[in-house]
Every structure is written in structure tokens, then in C-alpha cells.
Amino acid sequence: MKSGMSAVAAVAMLCTVASASARAAEDDAIDCSSTPFVFSGDGYFVDCVRYEANARKDGASGESQSDIINVTSNEREMFLTLVSIRLTSTGLHMRYQNLRENTRDFFSGVELQDWNGIGYQSGYDTAEFTSSISGTPSRCIAVQRYLNPAFGGFKRHVIGMGCAAGGLDAVYTALQQMRAPGD
């Protein structure tokens, strides 16, 4: 990918979707060791961000915490972004949505062309698609898993997207080096 595809650009794109807050990503950057993610690869830039918010629905309220990890190769030809959303209120839960719906909702600025759901891979519901990222034609994956079932829904949702200018091997390699909730 062109040098425009940086960790900051990918996190900024995700933060626009994942948070209604207008705060800049740099203001919420955290040490990745305080997140539920562990990335063990060499030759990557790794950034983490946390957002905390009050969640309300049908008279129930509580806290939600979203941790975001963004992994970008040193050459910036690929990135992988994962989000872990956790609800802490006993009265709140997330309803299941299929991967395509969630990818469209979380990454609304990304066109999902040539969508191909490929089923479960490494514990994630996975799909491949093409898109233009920072003006570069890219091959991408979308992944998700739901955890902690409660009250007909879930308390934790992990969703992510990774793209590369060439083949998807670099994205799948980065995903294999990631430990996320549910691993």
C-alpha cells in the first residue's frame, strides 16, 4: 500500500465509526498491554486506543469499553485492526448481527466489493472482499466473534478488518500472531 495507509489513518477511520466521540485517536492512545489483545509479531507498528462510554437501552444502563488494536507492517503494505467491545452492565447485551452487516456498520467508510463469506477460520467468522483503501486497490478480510452469552445476546464482541495491496497472506499472518478475547 502507499505510505498514506498508516496506523494512524486506519485507527482514525475506525474511530470515526466505532465512537460517536469527536476526540482524536492520539488523545485516547494507551499501552497495548492494558488491552485484551496480545500481538507477538516482529516488523510491525502496533497502536492501541480505548474508548469508554455509558450505554443505555430499554431502561438499562451501564458501561461499555472498546479496545482497538491496529497492526501495520513496517512497509505499510498491510494493516489489521481489531476491536473488542465489552458491556459491563448486567441488564445490557449485544444482539447478534451477521459479519457483513457488522462490517458495513463498523467500517462504514469502506466499500465491501466482491464479498465472499468463507465461514469459520481460526475461531472467527471470516469473509474476504476487495476495496479501495487510501486510493489503493486492496484485498481485505473481515472477522468477528461473539463471546460471553447473556440474556439472549452477548457481553463481548470482537470484530476486525485487515487489508493489503497484494495478496492476503500478510493479513492472515498478522492475524495468526494476534491473541484476542476468545483465543
Side-chain angles (χ1 to χ4, degrees):
M1 295 196 158
K2 295 179 183 176
S3 61
M5 174 48 71
S6 68
V8 174
V11 168
M13 174 184 66
L14 176 63
C15 293
T16 300
V17 177
S19 173
S21 171
R23 296 175 294 176
E26 296 83 25
D27 293 341
D28 298 317
I30 60 170
D31 182 336
C32 292
S33 67
S34 68
T35 73
F37 299 111
V38 176
F39 186 76
S40 60
D42 292 326
Y44 297 91
F45 295 108
V46 180
D47 299 299
C48 292
V49 177
R50 173 171 290 151
Y51 292 100
E52 294 180 356
N54 292 318
R56 291 176 176 43
K57 184 171 180 174
D58 299 332
S61 64
E63 299 288 317
S64 73
Q65 179 178 308
S66 298
D67 289 308
I68 304 165
I69 187 168
N70 189 69
V71 176
T72 308
S73 64
N74 280 346
E75 298 81 27
R76 305 220 190 272
E77 78 275 356
M78 66 73 56
F79 75 91
L80 173 66
T81 300
L82 290 180
V83 182
S84 170
I85 304 145
R86 184 175 61 93
L87 296 176
T88 60
S89 169
T90 57
L92 291 174
H93 63 274
M94 292 174 265
R95 70 178 176 84
Y96 173 85
Q97 283 193 146
N98 72 41
L99 178 57
R100 188 173 189 157
E101 290 174 70
N102 275 332
T103 303
R104 184 194 64 229
D105 291 349
F106 273 82
F107 305 99
S108 63
V110 177
E111 288 186 48
L112 309 177
Q113 302 168 0
D114 307 315
W115 184 269
N116 180 27
I118 57 174
Y120 282 86
Q121 305 256 332
S122 301
Y124 290 98
D125 183 11
T126 305
E128 296 178 353
F129 62 98
T130 60
S131 192
S132 177
I133 306 296
S134 296
T136 301
S138 301
R139 297 207 46 221
C140 303
I141 65 168
V143 297
Q144 82 172 356
R145 67 169 64 132
Y146 284 93
L147 302 154
N148 309 101
F151 310 108
F154 300 88
K155 291 297 202 175
R156 186 182 294 265
H157 180 213
V158 177
I159 184 165
M161 181 178 84
C163 296
L168 287 172
D169 289 345
V171 179
Y172 281 114
T173 297
L175 184 61
Q176 290 171 352
Q177 297 176 76
M178 178 77 67
R179 287 192 41 103
D183 288 338

